[in-house]
Amino acid sequence: MSAPTSLRAAVFVRCWCLLLAFLSGAGAQSPNVSEYASIQAALDANPGRLVFLPAGDHEITKKVVINKDGSGLYGPGRIIQTNPDQPILTVENAADVQLRDFTLTRATGKIEIRSEGLFLHRCADPTIENVRVLNNRSPAGSISVRECKGAQIRGCRIENYMTISIDDRTASENYGYAFHCIDGSGITVVESEGTTVQNCRIIERELLPTPALKDQHQLGVFTQKNPQKGALISQEVWDAGFVTNWHQGSAIVVSSPRRNWRTQLLGNHIENAAQGIDLHCDQVIVAHNIVHNAFIGMKAMHGSRNVLITGNQFIKNDLWAIGLMPGAGSGPARAAEGSTPAQEPNTDGGSIIAQNIISDFGYGNAAWIWGKSASCNPLRFDRGQKPENPPLSDVLIQGNIIYDTGRDDPLIDGQPKREPPRYQWAVRIEANSGNSPRGLHFSNNLFHAGTQGVSNVELPP
């Protein structure tokens, strides 16, 4: 063996031994939950350190709280919350907290709750990686991030997060009613900036929008109605006391458009959601996600500006796959008046939709709800919900595919059958109003025509 080769081998062996020694020492020095009376006792006794959660079930009756900078919890254990009135784990007013590899769940028979699974509030640079949140059935979100900066949520799995609930809109002048629904969100991000949600799997396996479930729970039926009709509901729906949008919630929702910036949603897998991705925020990247079997693939509204939607797969969506629209929450700039503070404009647009594939449209679980409605269009650009909403403006739509699966003789009731498109238009643009979309630019797209054509209006270049 030559001297240089021998030297390289010796260096390699020495480095390997040092690495093993470091890993062995780190493991030996890490506090272990099994050495304390509880998970909370272990964390309280070791502020600023990572605490190891060993394999096995760890039942709790009060939420686990982390509130010291640099603290964290990791390991293969499973935390089971037996109290339906409490979150499972919260991180509050702390920086650089790490949560890795464990499972959060609820005790059998106590999974229909109103609380979060994992709740982060006013944290800086937290990391949540390879954490599983199972059977936390709540409208509040399995993982909820509020007023945080730089949150990283990576490789997590959320499963069975939806619940039977009541959506109460009686306090809103736009609606004024409450109704039975399926509700629940996988990951919620509110009033936060610099958030990344990457390579997560968010799947609902049990509460699917079937006719039997609708009848069993009277989904869509009003439970309460104000004396006066809301501004955004039709007289027909008001009189009927029933709404079709009883499948509520989102796999990922990023909200608070005036206080939510610089979010990245990358490489996530979403399955059997109501809405796959729901955005009310600015400066967002939605890239390389798969949204499979959701009645809405994604939407950006209520003042969502500078949204980049690229390289995603939208499969088996039934109402629309990608929708951009102003929404009632958008508005122009407002000067200070009395005690009312000034506000920057909250507009929608300046966005790009590029290189996405929309396929199997109208073949999802919710297709029966919408039937052959003119509202079922893969790509949709709407006017504002109110006259004062600024219009959606300046959007590039390029290099996308809307693929009509019916032309490939799909299996219908077990038999190959040539099907007409399950949408009227591949693209629908609401026109002929003062705040209709403007500045849309289409190029190099492949859009299979619907039953009434490619678009309801001529697509601008």
Side-chain angles (χ1 to χ4, degrees):
M1 180 181 294
S2 65
T5 302
S6 176
L7 179 61
R8 285 196 297 270
V11 170
F12 175 81
V13 171
R14 176 60 177 165
C15 290
W16 181 247
C17 290
L18 288 172
L19 177 61
L20 290 177
F22 172 77
L23 293 175
S24 176
Q29 295 172 9
S30 183
N32 193 311
V33 164
S34 63
E35 300 168 354
Y36 296 85
S38 65
I39 299 171
Q40 191 64 61
L43 291 164
D44 291 344
N46 296 278
R49 300 182 67 187
L50 292 180
V51 173
F52 180 73
L53 183 69
D57 291 345
H58 305 264
E59 288 194 352
I60 59 173
T61 57
K62 294 183 179 180
K63 65 182 180 181
V64 175
V65 178
I66 297 175
N67 54 17
K68 297 294 188 296
D69 293 355
S71 298
L73 192 66
Y74 75 101
R78 185 170 72 153
I79 302 175
I80 304 173
Q81 175 62 274
T82 61
N83 186 345
D85 297 324
Q86 292 256 318
I88 305 173
L89 190 157
T90 66
V91 184
E92 305 167 359
N93 300 295
D96 298 314
V97 168
Q98 298 183 54
L99 307 172
R100 303 179 187 275
D101 301 329
F102 53 82
T103 298
L104 303 177
T105 190
R106 299 269 174 181
T108 301
K110 298 180 180 180
I111 61 176
E112 303 284 347
I113 40 86
R114 307 296 296 180
S115 300
E116 300 87 352
L118 171 57
F119 181 44
L120 290 87
H121 189 212
R122 294 181 177 174
C123 298
D125 302 308
T127 298
I128 304 99
E129 190 165 27
N130 195 34
V131 170
R132 293 160 295 281
V133 186
L134 311 179
N135 294 312
N136 191 86
R137 295 193 172 281
S138 168
S142 289
I143 297 178
S144 182
V145 176
R146 183 178 291 271
E147 296 181 74
C148 293
K149 293 184 178 181
Q152 305 285 311
I153 305 171
R154 299 194 296 259
C156 294
R157 178 161 66 94
I158 294 170
E159 191 169 307
N160 295 338
Y161 57 92
M162 307 201 83
T163 186
I164 301 298
S165 184
I166 292 177
D167 190 328
D168 189 348
R169 304 184 180 188
T170 54
S172 171
E173 63 181 13
N174 293 324
Y175 299 100
Y177 60 91
F179 61 100
H180 293 289
C181 68
I182 302 174
D183 201 0
S185 294
I187 296 175
T188 65
V189 180
V190 180
E191 296 186 26
S192 298
E193 56 184 287
T195 307
T196 298
V197 181
Q198 185 172 14
N199 294 341
C200 294
R201 297 180 65 81
I202 306 166
I203 301 173
E204 174 61 46
R205 299 192 186 278
E206 296 179 3
L207 286 182
L208 305 181
T210 64
L213 195 70
K214 171 185 172 292
D215 293 341
Q216 178 185 353
H217 297 285
Q218 294 294 290
L219 300 174
V221 175
F222 284 10
T223 62
Q224 188 176 347
K225 187 163 68 170
N226 291 349
Q228 186 173 348
K229 182 181 76 68
L232 296 183
I233 180 172
S234 71
Q235 189 65 50
E236 180 183 6
V237 170
W238 185 259
D239 292 341
F242 174 82
V243 290
T244 53
N245 62 330
W246 45 261
H247 195 194
Q248 290 289 310
S250 305
I252 301 175
V253 56
V254 186
S255 192
S256 303
R258 296 182 189 271
R259 297 179 300 279
N260 215 318
W261 307 274
R262 300 182 297 282
T263 303
Q264 298 183 80
L265 307 179
L266 310 173
N268 301 290
H269 178 96
I270 294 168
E271 191 170 344
N272 300 335
Q275 301 175 102
I277 298 171
D278 189 6
L279 302 179
H280 314 150
C281 50
D282 296 334
Q283 293 122 24
V284 190
I285 298 174
V286 181
H288 303 160
N289 302 283
I290 294 176
V291 181
H292 176 243
N293 204 359
F295 86 88
I296 291 175
M298 71 153 289
K299 74 174 191 285
M301 63 185 301
H302 297 304
S304 292
R305 184 172 53 184
N306 307 134
V307 180
L308 174 60
I309 306 163
T310 183
N312 303 283
Q313 292 270 359
F314 294 96
I315 308 160
K316 288 190 175 180
N317 305 145
D318 296 311
L319 189 58
W320 68 74
I322 302 175
L324 272 58
M325 53 211 70
S330 62
R334 187 175 66 193
E337 183 177 343
S339 61
T340 302
Q343 285 189 334
E344 293 291 336
N346 186 35
T347 59
D348 296 81
S351 298
I352 296 175
I353 302 173
Q355 297 182 326
N356 302 282
I357 299 177
I358 299 171
S359 62
D360 292 352
F361 188 86
Y363 287 84
N365 286 339
W368 68 273
I369 300 172
W370 310 103
K372 297 180 180 180
S373 168
S375 298
C376 298
N377 310 110
L379 197 53
R380 180 165 168 170
F381 304 92
D382 286 358
R383 58 178 170 81
Q385 290 181 307
K386 293 184 171 182
E388 62 267 28
N389 299 142
L392 170 70
S393 303
D394 302 323
V395 181
L396 298 179
I397 305 100
Q398 56 190 28
N400 302 282
I401 292 177
I402 297 175
Y403 192 88
D404 170 25
T405 303
R407 63 173 56 196
D408 292 336
D409 298 340
L411 290 175
I412 306 297
D413 297 326
Q415 297 296 322
K417 181 181 178 182
R418 177 63 54 92
E419 283 264 295
R422 294 192 173 184
Y423 50 90
Q424 292 188 350
W425 299 287
V427 181
R428 183 169 181 262
I429 302 173
E430 283 197 326
N432 303 320
S433 73
N435 59 2
S436 292
R438 60 190 64 174
L440 306 182
H441 301 274
F442 292 80
S443 63
N444 299 320
N445 298 287
L446 175 58
F447 294 154
H448 289 171
T451 56
Q452 297 189 29
V454 170
S455 177
N456 63 317
V457 298
E458 185 176 353
L459 297 181

